[in-house]
Amino acid sequence: MGYPGIITEFISIVRKYRLFDDNDKILVSLSAGPDSVALLYLLKFIEKRYNIKLFVVHINYQLRGENSNLDEKFCIDLCKDMGVDLFVEKVNVNRARIQTQAREIRFQVYNKIKEQTGIYKVVLAHHFDDCVETVIFKMFRGSGITGLKGIQFVTKRKDGLLLIRPMLTISKSRLLEFLNKNNLKYREDETNFDSIYTRNKIRNELIPLLNKIFGRRRVEQSIKDITELAEGFTGLIDELLKDTKIEEYLNKEEIPLISLNHNKVIITSFIKKYLEQREISVSKKKLGLLWEIINNQKGEIRVGVNYLFVIEDNCLKFKKIEKIDEITESTILLDLVNPVSLKDGSIIKIEKVEGRFVDFTDVDKNVAYIDRNKINGNLYIRYKRQGDKFCPLGLEGKTKKIKKFFIDEKIPIRKRRKIPLVVDGEKIIWVCGLRLDERVKIDNNTTEILKLEWQRYENGREF
């Protein structure tokens, strides 16, 4: 096999980082593109030398029609010619969240194979250009200096998978030269040249521009310098974290505030490490907000999709937000006959009011009076949905997002999903216990009045 320089460098990385052990079974992720094809050939070249056994997985996301099927056929033929066992998985991906879901599916497939075969080492085809792209992406996302370490050669995941990337020092152009000089075939994914995604814009537009202005070598060296500096800084922070003994709380869900009495760099570094250990990414801005609630010793911040940091009982507590029950995803009819009992133990009921006037001198916050003739169709109960708006009573018809309303009312994040909304066929009528909609209020022209009541009890007491 020609182009010995790249082979020597590949072997050097495998040896330096001790990526494989004797008799290792390793799983190679193969897309049919040039990066993963080059990786497979390089691994095949060292297979006997390191006494490792190769297995390959190809995931067909079925996003590119016949081209996806041709990719799959290419991988089947290539693995057959090379005498390598191949796993093929056909999956469906939600086009609205392609990148996120594709990543989730990949790890589901890797874990499925791990359970079937015991193979936990997964070798990925990231190369030096991916490192450059990642550092630039993180830099402008505001990840901070510790986030500029770039891609790591080895990543150990909580699910037991060990991700190995042995080509991080090798550029894309060298991989293509290696393939072309050895007449090794591969397939191109045309969507890689589509700049609708941020990373593709960085790869296809920004990096070529930087190379044109500063020269490729200078750009690459600058990225290497940044990653080395970030790694050194991270190592220093790790030592400081050990000295402060704050690391003993990495696996705990309650951290006494007295243990967080350190400077901002130490605390934000600890929080970032705490979240990374739970595979939750967080922006520099969010870390700054976390520092503020710790420093002020009050407040709460949502992290990830389902988690929350909250200051309670002189502790920083890490909590999982309850998943929305099926009932919160649906709507429940509210009528004059049957009160509605919700899963949290509360009850919502509606009744007619005799007469045309209401005494508002002593009205409970969990009671609302509405003009029946201002309702469109039936009344229903549901919970907050993305983009919900209403016209809060007192704002003279101005609309406000429910999310902004909850923030202004200082409703804790963990409680927002538990607050029911009474709605009609076109609008929100009442944010239960908080505010009525201006458009259904009683006025001098009201002839029919309905009384809404939310009886809120949990474990025998009002909450």
Side-chain angles (χ1 to χ4, degrees), residues 194-252:
D194 190 341
S195 294
I196 62 171
Y197 301 115
T198 303
R199 282 185 175 271
N200 282 12
K201 286 181 181 178
I202 293 172
R203 181 188 310 129
N204 300 328
E205 298 174 19
L206 181 56
I207 292 176
L209 180 61
L210 291 173
N211 289 339
K212 184 178 179 180
I213 295 172
F214 299 106
R216 183 183 181 91
R217 287 187 179 180
R218 187 173 177 184
V219 171
E220 290 181 355
Q221 187 58 51
S222 295
I223 294 297
K224 285 180 181 177
D225 292 343
I226 289 171
T227 56
E228 287 176 6
L229 178 64
E231 285 174 3
F233 181 80
T234 302
L236 177 62
I237 291 296
D238 287 341
E239 289 300 317
L240 289 172
L241 288 176
K242 288 177 183 177
D243 291 343
T244 60
K245 298 184 179 179
I246 196 174
E247 282 195 328
E248 65 185 67
Y249 293 102
L250 280 173
N251 297 313
K252 297 181 180 180

Side-chain angles (χ1 to χ4, degrees), residues 59-65 68-69 90-93 95:
I59 303 173
N60 183 349
Y61 298 102
Q62 304 184 84
L63 290 169
R64 295 164 42 246
S68 291
N69 295 328
K90 277 193 175 181
V91 298
N92 294 308
V93 179
R95 289 181 179 271

Side-chain angles (χ1 to χ4, degrees), residues 33-47:
D35 308 341
S36 60
V37 169
L39 173 64
L40 182 58
Y41 275 108
L42 289 168
L43 288 168
K44 189 66 178 174
F45 183 81
I46 69 167
E47 183 179 25

Side-chain angles (χ1 to χ4, degrees), residues 258-290:
I258 194 170
S259 300
L260 298 172
N261 187 25
H262 299 286
N263 67 45
K264 185 176 181 179
V265 174
I266 295 293
I267 296 306
T268 53
S269 298
F270 166 74
I271 294 295
K272 188 171 183 181
K273 190 171 184 179
Y274 185 96
L275 293 173
E276 284 176 349
Q277 190 168 286
R278 291 156 178 80
E279 296 176 10
I280 298 173
S281 61
V282 63
S283 66
K284 184 179 178 181
K285 180 180 178 182
K286 185 64 69 76
L287 282 172
L289 293 173
L290 279 163

Side-chain angles (χ1 to χ4, degrees), residues 322 343-346 415 418 455-463:
E322 296 177 21
K343 283 192 174 181
D344 62 8
S346 65
K415 290 186 177 181
K418 296 181 179 181
Q455 296 177 351
R456 303 193 291 165
Y457 294 94
E458 184 175 56
N459 299 325
R461 59 186 178 87
E462 185 175 357
F463 65 91

Side-chain angles (χ1 to χ4, degrees), residues 112-150:
K112 178 182 174 182
I113 294 171
K114 175 169 71 76
E115 290 171 7
Q116 292 174 348
T117 65
I119 302 172
Y120 67 94
K121 289 187 176 181
V122 183
V123 188
L124 305 174
H126 294 96
H127 47 71
F128 182 71
D129 293 41
D130 293 318
C131 282
V132 175
E133 174 191 314
T134 298
V135 170
I136 292 173
F137 180 79
K138 288 185 174 182
M139 186 186 300
F140 288 100
R141 197 179 65 170
S143 64
I145 192 167
T146 57
L148 301 180
K149 292 183 296 182

